[in-house]
């Protein structure tokens, strides 16, 4: 399988765990002590790291660190927006579109040498 696709797939899965680790406690553990929320989040984040570390190691065989980082940010926003709208019931804002367009610009600039 293509190393970039493998890396991207692992990063998508990693970002699902990361998003839940970072933000789900705002809904699920809102009235609990912050220490409990932190411990639960760390437990969830362990699975994120178990996917993120191999994703970056695999991706680094075909991409630069900058390319990996920009790919990660695009994936993070792609996971975060549906999570915030559907799970946290946050309103969908045009700011997400503008942020996405800025990231597309970043993708263009960081990957343009690969396409020339």
């Amino acid at each position: 399988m293509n190393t970039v696709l493998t890396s991207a797939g692992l990063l998508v899965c990693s970002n699902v765990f990361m998003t839940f680790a970072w933000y789900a406690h705002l809904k699920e553990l809102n009235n609990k002590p912050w220490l409990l929320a932190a411990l639960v989040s760390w437990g969830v984040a362990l699975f994120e790291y178990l996917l993120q570390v191999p994703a970056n190691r695999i991706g680094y065989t075909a991409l630069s660190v900058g390319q990996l980082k920009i790919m990660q940010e695009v994936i993070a926003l792609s996971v975060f927006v549906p999570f915030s709208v559907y799970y946290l019931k946050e309103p969908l804002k045009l700011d997400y579109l503008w942020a996405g367009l800025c990231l597309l610009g970043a993708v263009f600039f960081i990957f343009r040498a690969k396409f020339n």
Side-chain angles (χ1 to χ4, degrees):
M1 182 181 259
N2 185 324
T3 57
V4 175
L5 290 177
T6 301
S7 179
L10 287 168
L11 285 173
V12 168
C13 295
S14 168
N15 270 274
V16 169
F17 283 107
M18 177 193 72
T19 302
F20 272 92
W22 285 15
Y23 300 105
H25 64 86
L26 298 174
K27 179 179 178 182
E28 301 301 329
L29 300 173
N30 194 28
N31 297 322
K32 304 291 184 196
W34 74 267
L35 185 58
L36 176 64
L39 292 173
V40 169
S41 293
W42 284 347
V44 174
L46 171 65
F47 295 102
E48 181 231 338
Y49 281 106
L50 291 174
L51 296 168
Q52 180 266 339
V53 170
N56 284 334
R57 292 175 68 96
I58 292 166
Y60 190 60
T61 64
L63 301 170
S64 71
V65 173
Q67 291 169 330
L68 276 170
K69 182 59 180 170
I70 295 300
M71 185 169 69
Q72 153 64 23
E73 294 304 326
V74 169
I75 290 168
L77 188 61
S78 300
V79 170
F80 175 76
V81 171
F83 174 86
S84 67
V85 171
Y86 294 112
Y87 188 79
L88 294 178
K89 307 296 186 210
E90 294 282 324
L92 184 60
K93 298 179 183 177
L94 271 177
D95 291 342
Y96 293 133
L97 173 64
W98 308 136
L101 290 174
C102 289
L103 281 173
L104 284 178
V107 168
F108 170 76
F109 287 111
I110 204 74
F111 282 96
R112 70 180 166 165
K114 215 165 187 48
F115 298 115
N116 285 337

